[in-house]
Amino acid sequence: MARFITTRFLQALLSLLVITLIVFSLSHLTGSPIDALLPDDATQAQIDNLTRELGLDRPLHVQYFTFLQNAALGDFGDSTKWKGSSAAEVVIDRLPATLQLGGLALLISVVVAIPLGVVAAVRKGSSIDAVASVIALLGQSLPAFWLGLVLMWVFAVILGWFPTSGYGGVTHMVLPAIAMAWFQIAALTRLTRSAMLEVLDAEYIKLARVKGVSERAIVWRHAFSNAAIVPITYFGVLAGSLLTGSVVIETVFAWPGAGLLAIDAIRGRDFPVVQSVVMFFAVFFLLANFLVDILYAVIDPRIRHQG
């Protein structure tokens, strides 16, 4: 088990190192931050002084190792749009709102998709199975921003049940959380259904029925406990995609989280904040997948022995 965890941890560190290289490269390809920090009538002396101050006159490999060292300490520089605050402070200030919205969307996804996938598999060919198939089809076909606008128009503008946008209590979170969760509900439902169908055809399930075990015990204790391995592997992707998918939904609903912050930073050419958002999202995504790998190994001993 220790060897498996160590291997996965090293793989996560390697992935994070590659991400830092990509972020560093993209920040240089988008142009020089000097253009955003200095006015158009800046003198050449001002440009040269700021270039030396930011270390942009150094070789690229030296700049990258400096960036890597600062990133390890959580230092991505000062924000150019939000004066007086570091880039990391600006992101950390917005992260709670994103985690609240993503957490509710994750809860909705699990609560809806898992039971729906199980029931659809148990009652294959029934009306419930047909409804699950329609939800899966629409969930993976409808763009999140379009669904968010439709939900806003129907439930906020026409019916007036929820606020149209902004930050607040649970009522402000319902519509954006549903819009974020819809795609994941579709994917998780399909995974759960297919995994359950495979397990329900297994010999030990038939043997349990022959022994007279109740159907509820067969479905949830014997079948689902084994089929759960498949959707669990998707939880890392699910958690990460809900966080990164907040960029679109937070923009539609004006939710002041890290996703909307990324859009504002890109518009304002605030490269330190953009780098901070990307790195925070990347770390969260890798951490979620690392925890899922460990949980997967705990559930299935074959995985940790192979690892």
Side-chain angles (χ1 to χ4, degrees), residues 24-149:
F24 175 79
S25 303
L26 291 178
S27 65
H28 280 68
L29 291 176
T30 53
S32 174
I34 301 297
D35 300 332
L37 296 175
L38 292 179
D40 295 335
D41 58 349
T43 63
Q44 187 61 42
Q46 291 176 318
I47 295 175
D48 293 339
N49 290 334
L50 185 58
T51 300
R52 285 193 298 271
E53 181 181 343
L54 296 178
L56 298 178
D57 57 335
R58 301 174 184 175
L60 281 179
H61 69 278
V62 176
Q63 294 184 44
Y64 171 69
F65 284 114
T66 302
F67 167 77
L68 193 62
Q69 181 180 2
N70 293 334
L73 299 175
D75 181 12
F76 296 94
D78 295 328
S79 171
T80 59
K81 181 178 175 64
W82 291 270
K83 302 294 185 180
S85 299
S86 67
E89 290 174 349
V90 175
V91 177
I92 292 174
D93 185 57
R94 296 287 194 94
L95 271 180
T98 297
L99 293 177
Q100 288 176 8
L101 190 60
L104 181 58
L106 180 62
L107 178 63
I108 293 174
S109 301
V110 174
V111 169
V112 174
I114 297 296
L116 184 60
V118 172
V119 175
V122 173
R123 301 186 179 180
K124 181 181 178 182
S126 65
S127 58
I128 295 179
D129 189 20
V131 170
S133 299
V134 171
I135 291 177
L137 177 62
L138 294 179
Q140 295 187 309
S141 303
L142 302 178
F145 73 89
W146 181 87
L147 179 61
L149 292 174

Side-chain angles (χ1 to χ4, degrees), residues 10-26:
L10 293 177
Q11 291 175 350
L13 285 181
L14 180 60
S15 301
L16 187 60
L17 183 64
V18 173
I19 291 172
T20 60
L21 182 59
I22 294 174
V23 170
F24 175 79
S25 303
L26 291 178

Side-chain angles (χ1 to χ4, degrees), residues 1 4-5 8 11 191 195 198-199 224-237 287-307:
M1 186 68 174
F4 175 83
I5 294 176
R8 290 296 185 268
Q11 291 175 350
L191 282 175
E198 183 178 354
V199 172
F224 181 69
S225 60
N226 288 278
I229 294 176
V230 175
I232 282 177
T233 59
Y234 184 69
F235 279 157
V237 179
L287 180 61
N289 280 276
F290 177 66
L291 294 177
V292 167
D293 285 340
I294 295 177
L295 182 60
Y296 196 14
V298 171
I299 295 175
D300 190 350
R302 296 172 299 177
I303 300 300
R304 59 175 179 262
H305 291 320
Q306 292 174 2

Side-chain angles (χ1 to χ4, degrees), residues 195-229:
M196 283 293 295
L197 286 175
E198 183 178 354
V199 172
L200 288 172
D201 287 335
E203 294 298 327
Y204 66 90
I205 296 295
K206 298 177 183 178
L207 180 60
R209 286 197 173 101
V210 171
K211 289 182 176 181
V213 179
S214 66
E215 189 65 20
R216 175 175 295 184
I218 290 175
V219 170
W220 293 104
R221 185 183 305 170
H222 298 285
F224 181 69
S225 60
N226 288 278
I229 294 176

